[in-house]
Amino acid sequence: MKRTIILLFSLFAVVSADAQIRIGGRKIDTKKAVKAAGDMTTAVTLSDADIARLSRESVEWMDAHNPIDTGAYDARLRRLTEGITEADGIPLNFKVYYVVDINAFACGDGSIRVFSSLMDLMTDDELMAIIGHEIGHIVHRDSKDAIKRAYMASAARNAAGSVGGTVGKLSESQLGDLAQAFMGAQFSQKQEYAADDYGFDFCVDHGFSPHGIADGLSKLVELSKGAKASAVQQMFSSHPDSEKRAARMKEKAVAYENAMK
């Protein structure tokens, strides 16, 4: 049976600051992990090297605490992403988490993680549109900015501090706090629209349907209203822009098809 982890779909991520959740069998107090903004200072300056290491260590921690599929899901993802090895000079790597939650996320080191339950729901075109969207967040540095914000907002910052301007080594517990803060980080509307546009171009360039983004977004919005609402954390009811984004991308797909006639 698939294990459940409560990580929010990065296209529409939301987390309650009062919640206690489990990741990899550990209970994490998000009130501790996501500290109040007023408790933050500019005392710690993160270098590009710090951000790169935090990104790498965070995704390594998540890989170690979640079941990674090596069967049919992995084979499908490998088939779809064959030849897609880098974006804007950033090496990409893909894995499937065999879990019941509907999610996908990207980390600044080029790691993209797709949840098996999301793959169950999406056609190849829709899945690749979501993957393209996530690659857009990497290329635009949104994922690196998110890990930086997560570090500054998480308990990891208070515990690890800075030594000589370099972020200290994080413990297992601090990495868990950082991973949760990262998964709870929200992107701005501008960042989401830019990632949508990147995902659209990605689909067209790789021979997938230009309707992938619109159809995938629409499907997730509908799921949020139905029996699977709990699996998507009922995120979409609090994100009316999701429907606007789907409509925007549908218009873009129709315009593209008309231009190609």
Side-chain angles (χ1 to χ4, degrees):
M1 180 179 293
K2 298 179 186 178
R3 284 194 287 162
T4 301
I5 61 176
I6 310 300
L7 294 179
L8 306 185
F9 188 59
S10 63
L11 293 180
F12 314 94
V14 181
V15 68
S16 168
D18 296 322
Q20 283 194 329
I21 65 168
R22 287 188 178 275
I23 301 180
R26 290 181 61 248
K27 182 177 287 187
I28 292 179
D29 184 349
T30 60
K31 191 171 183 179
K32 175 183 177 184
V34 186
K35 303 287 285 184
D39 196 35
M40 294 169 16
T41 71
T42 58
V44 178
T45 300
L46 297 180
S47 67
D48 286 345
D50 288 331
I51 295 170
R53 182 169 65 81
L54 289 170
S55 296
R56 183 177 63 255
E57 290 181 356
S58 293
V59 79
E60 287 175 353
W61 186 93
M62 286 185 274
D63 284 353
H65 289 79
N66 290 292
I68 296 175
D69 182 78
T70 57
Y73 292 103
D74 178 64
R76 179 188 175 196
L77 185 62
R78 287 179 182 275
R79 171 177 59 82
L80 290 172
T81 59
E82 184 178 6
I84 302 172
T85 58
E86 63 87 27
D88 199 30
I90 302 170
L92 301 175
N93 68 90
F94 304 89
K95 291 182 181 179
V96 179
Y97 287 171
Y98 188 70
V99 293
V100 300
D101 299 90
I102 299 170
N103 204 344
F105 70 90
C107 210
D109 69 335
S111 297
I112 295 172
R113 300 296 180 259
V114 183
F115 291 19
S116 58
S117 292
L118 176 69
M119 296 179 70
D120 288 336
L121 297 167
M122 297 293 157
T123 66
D124 287 354
D125 290 318
E126 293 161 356
L127 182 61
M128 289 306 288
I130 290 171
I131 288 173
H133 176 104
E134 296 303 328
I135 293 174
H137 281 310
I138 294 173
V139 169
H140 300 149
R141 290 187 56 92
D142 300 338
S143 297
K144 286 188 175 181
D145 290 343
I147 201 74
K148 181 176 181 178
R149 292 195 305 271
Y151 179 81
M152 295 302 292
S154 71
R157 169 195 169 274
N158 295 322
S162 177
V163 179
T166 301
V167 172
K169 180 71 175 179
L170 299 186
S171 69
E172 174 82 1
S173 176
Q174 291 159 8
L175 279 170
D177 289 339
L178 176 62
Q180 177 56 37
F182 170 69
M183 292 306 297
Q186 288 184 290
F187 296 117
S188 69
Q189 183 185 70
K190 181 179 179 180
Q191 288 173 322
E192 294 287 28
Y193 277 26
D196 285 344
D197 288 335
Y198 188 96
F200 178 92
D201 292 338
F202 174 87
C203 283
V204 170
D205 291 344
H206 289 87
F208 295 96
S209 171
H211 289 275
I213 284 276
D215 291 347
L217 285 169
S218 296
K219 184 174 288 185
L220 289 166
V221 169
E222 288 305 310
L223 283 170
S224 72
K225 302 174 183 177
K228 291 184 179 291
S230 61
V232 292
Q233 306 301 313
Q234 298 181 340
M235 292 175 285
F236 305 101
S237 61
S238 60
H239 284 260
D241 280 351
S242 301
E243 295 187 52
K244 293 180 181 178
R245 286 169 56 201
R248 173 177 175 268
M249 298 312 295
K250 183 176 181 179
E251 289 180 4
K252 186 167 184 173
V254 171
Y256 172 82
E257 290 178 328
N258 289 337
M260 296 299 292
K261 291 180 180 178

